[in-house]
């Protein structure tokens, strides 16, 4: 610039002006931005000297394991730029097992187990139906895989088999004796005898 003073003497000076290029913020995912709960993705930042994640630290990269929009602010020589990505995290299925049948029963009986899972179903018996009939004792559970490929497993349900009683019958002094049990029903030729519900029975006819 130039100026003249009161004596009309010319004075001049110069100033250097520098223009800094605006940086370009870049986020590079290290994997899918959509995944199941329990997984994560690494986001890598570039495009500037200072990489400030929002929310997050000042770092070259961050690990994200939750839903939300992640922003990156990059700064070089006081100039800055922003970039953002959205991370989608799917909840895991939580299948449950229900039954209206007793879970403790005698050998030879059964129980119906069913689930309200709506994805792909797999019982630990290998069946893929929404209900199963179980006869054997043990723990039963169901697995569900949803449309996103996310996997969940139910709490197990315990089935208990009570063994069948094995009565022993002896005959002495005109009387039948049965081994000890909780209840009794004597039969004649396969037909229950009315009132014959004690541990002993005195027969009154052949059969």
């Amino acid at each position: 610039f130039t100026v003249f003073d009161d004596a009309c003497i010319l004075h001049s000076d110069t100033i250097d002006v520098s223009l800094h290029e605006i940086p370009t913020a870049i986020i590079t995912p290290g994997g899918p931005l959509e995944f199941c709960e329990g997984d994560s993705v690494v986001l890598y930042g570039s495009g500037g000297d200072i990489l400030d994640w929002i929310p997050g630290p000042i770092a070259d990269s961050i690990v994200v394991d939750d839903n939300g929009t992640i922003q990156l602010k990059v700064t070089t020589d006081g100039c800055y730029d922003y970039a953002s990505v959205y991370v989608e995290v799917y909840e895991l299925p939580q299948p449950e097992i229900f039954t209206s049948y007793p879970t403790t029963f005698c050998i030879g009986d059964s129980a119906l187990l069913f689930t309200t899972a709506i994805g792909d179903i797999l019982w630990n018996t290998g069946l893929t139906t929404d209900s199963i009939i179980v006869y054997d004792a043990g723990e039963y559970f169901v697995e569900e895989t949803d449309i996103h490929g996310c996997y969940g497993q139910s709490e197990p349900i315990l089935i208990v088999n009570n063994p069948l009683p094995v009565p022993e019958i002896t005959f002495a002094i005109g009387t039948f004796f049965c081994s000890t049990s909780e209840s009794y029903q004597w039969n004649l030729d396969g037909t229950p005898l009315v009132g014959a519900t004690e541990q002993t029975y005195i027969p009154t006819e052949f059969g």
Side-chain angles (χ1 to χ4, degrees):
F1 67 94
T2 59
V3 296
F4 291 91
D5 61 14
D6 293 340
C8 295
I9 298 175
L10 177 66
H11 300 273
S12 66
D13 198 2
T14 61
I15 186 171
D16 293 329
V17 177
S18 299
L19 294 178
H20 298 294
E21 184 177 352
I22 297 177
T24 301
I26 300 173
I27 298 176
T28 303
L33 295 175
E34 298 181 2
F35 49 84
C36 302
E37 188 178 10
D39 290 338
S40 61
V41 62
V42 180
L43 302 180
Y44 299 93
S46 60
D49 294 334
I50 301 175
L51 307 177
D52 186 7
W53 297 93
I54 306 170
I58 296 177
D60 293 339
S61 64
I62 59 170
V63 178
V64 180
D65 60 3
D66 202 2
N67 281 319
T69 299
I70 305 297
Q71 282 189 310
L72 172 66
K73 178 184 179 182
V74 299
T75 305
T76 300
D77 296 327
C79 301
Y80 59 86
D81 185 36
Y82 288 92
S84 65
V85 295
Y86 183 76
V87 177
E88 180 77 26
V89 180
Y90 300 112
E91 292 185 358
L92 300 180
Q94 296 180 330
E96 295 182 88
I97 299 176
F98 301 92
T99 182
S100 57
Y101 291 70
T103 55
T104 298
F105 48 81
C106 299
I107 293 176
D109 290 339
S110 62
L112 176 67
L113 308 181
F114 62 94
T115 178
T116 56
I118 59 176
D120 292 333
I121 297 171
L122 178 63
W123 295 86
N124 62 321
T125 61
L127 295 176
T128 58
T129 53
D130 58 4
S131 64
I132 60 173
I133 298 176
V134 296
Y135 299 90
D136 299 326
E139 288 189 344
Y140 294 84
F141 60 85
V142 66
E143 303 169 355
E144 178 186 1
T145 303
D146 65 16
I147 59 174
H148 305 295
C150 300
Y151 162 89
Q153 180 177 300
S154 71
E155 292 293 328
I157 186 170
L158 180 64
I159 297 296
V160 177
N161 279 161
N162 287 328
L164 298 177
V166 182
E168 295 183 3
I169 300 174
T170 57
F171 184 75
I173 318 175
T175 302
F176 285 111
F177 296 87
C178 181
S179 54
T180 302
S181 186
E182 292 184 5
S183 63
Y184 309 89
Q185 175 61 65
W186 293 91
N187 297 268
L188 175 62
D189 295 331
T191 301
L193 292 165
V194 177
T197 57
E198 301 296 330
Q199 187 174 2
T200 59
Y201 176 69
I202 300 174
T204 58
E205 55 185 310
F206 295 105

